[in-house]
Every structure is written in structure tokens, then in C-alpha cells.
Amino acid sequence: MPYIKTRDDTEIFYRDWGPAEAPLIMFHHGWPLTADDWDNQMLFFLSEGYRVIAADRRGHGRSQETWTGNDMDTYAADTDDLVKELNLTNVVHVGHSTGGGVVARYVAQHGGGRAAKAVLIGAVPPLMLKTADNPDGIPMDVFDDFRRQLSDNRARFFLDVPSGPFFGFNRDDVETVEAMVHNWWRQGMMGSAKAHYDCIAAFSETDFTEDLKALKVPTLIMHGDDDQIVPLDLTARKAADLVEGSVLKIYEGLPHGMCTTHPELINPDLLDFIRA
């Protein structure tokens, strides 16, 4: 399996499919998942003639656990190390949820001359947490409860999230797809509980406002209006106002995990934006 070593000697697993000369797309996964969460999109774009790359963030999946560095600055620096190690240019960066935060910070702070476009899907920017400057955010006690559930019984918590709000399976008119739940659980349990615990602060408390203002590449923001994990009005609508020239596409009734539940809608829209 391919790995690179980052500037602090952390081993990062990555998947790289497609011809070296093909146009490039890099996918960034959400919490607490892995590169495997992009299987559908990677196979789709591979069939459309693209080279597709996805990595497991440090502490997630097959990448090395570290005691420190489970924060957005380090995740973005790890992405920079991977891009430079593989000598990638003209890359479209696609991030879901926490991965959308990584894309925003990486492209804003490291992507100059190498990033071509950005896509934020169900993404956490600009800020999830309720603060004095973000009064409609989510209260800290919600994220404290995430940490408590993870500490008390991570295996149980990682069943409850996908069988409920992540894929919208808690809605009366939605049938649970057990294979999706089990695959989510499998990916989550591959990683480090410490990294997952720390990453809750990374995705909830990081303020991406200045990163979004600094994005100067074409940017697509995609969000389901029934996202129960990352609320639309708190994130995507605000992000679209902050990213100059961005395109906001809202999907009626779709959940947070819409790339998995509705790839037949998401993939063609991604392709249209990337080709444009």
C-alpha cells in the first residue's frame, strides 16, 4: 500500500488511481472515516478519464496515529506534503464535512499554483460552534456529548450516527440500508479513538472565515437541506457569501451523507463543475 511521510515523519496512507497524465481530483473524507468513503466517486471519475487520489487523514484508517497534530493546520500541512511528494498540479480538491474544512484551509494557505478548483460538500466551514460572534452556532455541550459517547462506547456511537442522522435513516420515509451503516462503522473503527476525540474540536471549533475569504479558485458548495449533522443555514449559506464567485447548490431532502445515498445526483453535478 502506498504511503508518504509528512514533515513530522507521520506515515499517511493514500490511494492513487488512473493515468499519471490524466486530469486530477483529490478527495478529502469526513470524520471519522477514511478514503474508502469515496469509493463510488473515485470509480465514477476514473471511468470518466480522471486520475483520482484520496488519503486517510492522520489517526484515521490506515494512516499512522500521532499523539498531537489532530487539528486543521496539521491536516492541511499533511495535504500539502502529499501534493508536493507526488508533484501534483492543477488539482481539483473535493472535501466532505470535516474534509471540506481541510480543503478550505489547504487551498487558502498552501494551494497557490497547485489547486485548480475547490468543492465543499456538506462541509463544516465557516464555523460550527456557538460563540459570541457566531450566536446561531451549535452549543458546546452538543460536542461535549459527542466526546462523552465516543469515550463511553465508541463502537455503539459509531453505529448510532450512521443508522440515524448521518444518512437520514431516522426519517420516517427513509429505509435504512444496513450495508451503508456497517461500512461507516467499519471505517470509523479502523482509526484511533484519540484522533477521533481530538478531531471533534477540529471540526467544531475551527473558524474558517478567513480561509473562505482567501479562496480565489472556482468553488462549488453542495449541501442537502435535510443535513442533520452540519446544518445548511449555519454553514453552506454563510460559506457561499464568503467565497467570492462561488456556486451554491442545495439538494432538497438530502442528508449529510448524500454522496453515498445519492451518487446518481452528486456525481454528474461534480463532473459538470469540474469540466466547466
Side-chain angles (χ1 to χ4, degrees):
M1 293 190 293
Y3 286 85
I4 61 116
K5 277 198 172 184
T6 66
R7 62 196 70 181
D8 68 351
D9 288 329
T10 299
E11 290 190 334
I12 300 294
F13 167 84
Y14 69 96
R15 179 173 286 143
D16 184 353
W17 297 343
E21 68 278 6
L24 281 160
I25 308 172
M26 182 176 287
F27 295 93
H28 305 257
H29 64 80
W31 174 93
L33 304 174
T34 74
D36 295 0
D37 199 44
W38 292 108
D39 282 353
N40 182 287
Q41 283 71 40
M42 292 182 72
L43 289 169
F44 173 83
F45 281 99
L46 186 66
S47 72
E48 293 290 338
Y50 288 84
R51 179 183 174 190
V52 290
I53 298 172
D56 294 351
R57 275 196 304 277
R58 63 171 60 209
H60 295 64
R62 291 140 292 205
S63 289
Q64 183 179 346
E65 296 183 24
T66 56
W67 176 247
T68 59
N70 299 301
D71 58 79
M72 283 294 168
D73 285 340
T74 307
Y75 296 155
D78 289 348
T79 300
D80 186 46
D81 290 340
L82 176 59
V83 167
K84 289 178 177 175
E85 176 70 21
L86 300 181
N87 194 26
L88 307 178
T89 57
N90 203 34
V91 184
V92 177
H93 289 273
V94 180
H96 175 246
S97 195
T98 301
V102 177
V103 167
R105 180 137 301 180
Y106 165 76
V107 174
Q109 298 190 10
H110 302 279
R114 292 183 181 269
K117 295 183 179 182
V119 182
L120 310 180
I121 306 176
V124 297
L127 175 61
M128 293 275 284
L129 183 67
K130 181 178 182 179
T131 66
D133 295 329
N134 192 43
D136 54 346
I138 298 171
M140 178 65 83
D141 58 9
V142 172
F143 301 112
D144 286 340
D145 187 57
F146 286 1
R147 282 181 275 263
R148 179 191 60 77
Q149 292 187 71
L150 191 151
S151 298
D152 289 351
N153 190 337
R154 182 169 64 135
R156 175 74 259 175
F157 185 37
F158 284 3
L159 281 177
D160 291 342
V161 173
S163 61
F166 192 93
F167 294 121
F169 293 151
N170 56 339
R171 297 306 195 201
D172 291 339
D173 58 344
V174 178
E175 181 181 353
T176 298
V177 181
E178 293 292 344
M180 290 182 187
V181 174
H182 295 162
N183 191 41
W184 200 100
W185 183 90
R186 176 191 66 83
Q187 292 178 67
M189 295 305 293
M190 288 170 65
S192 159
K194 173 65 164 60
H196 294 160
Y197 188 97
D198 290 351
C199 191
I200 293 171
F203 73 65
S204 64
E205 299 178 38
T206 304
D207 189 340
F208 299 95
T209 299
E210 296 307 314
D211 299 301
L212 295 174
K213 290 178 180 178
L215 293 184
K216 302 304 180 186
V217 299
T219 302
L220 173 64
I221 300 170
M222 309 168 79
H223 218 100
D225 71 359
D226 193 33
D227 191 324
Q228 301 171 67
I229 303 293
V230 179
L232 168 66
D233 291 340
L234 177 62
T235 55
R237 291 194 193 278
K238 292 183 177 182
D241 289 338
L242 291 167
V243 182
E244 183 179 356
S246 63
V247 175
L248 173 61
K249 188 167 182 63
I250 298 171
Y251 295 82
E252 183 178 356
L254 294 201
H256 187 60
M258 63 185 184
C259 292
T260 302
T261 60
H262 294 81
E264 74 282 0
L265 299 179
I266 303 304
N267 292 352
D269 288 348
L270 274 174
L271 181 62
D272 286 346
F273 173 73
I274 291 168
R275 281 179 170 171

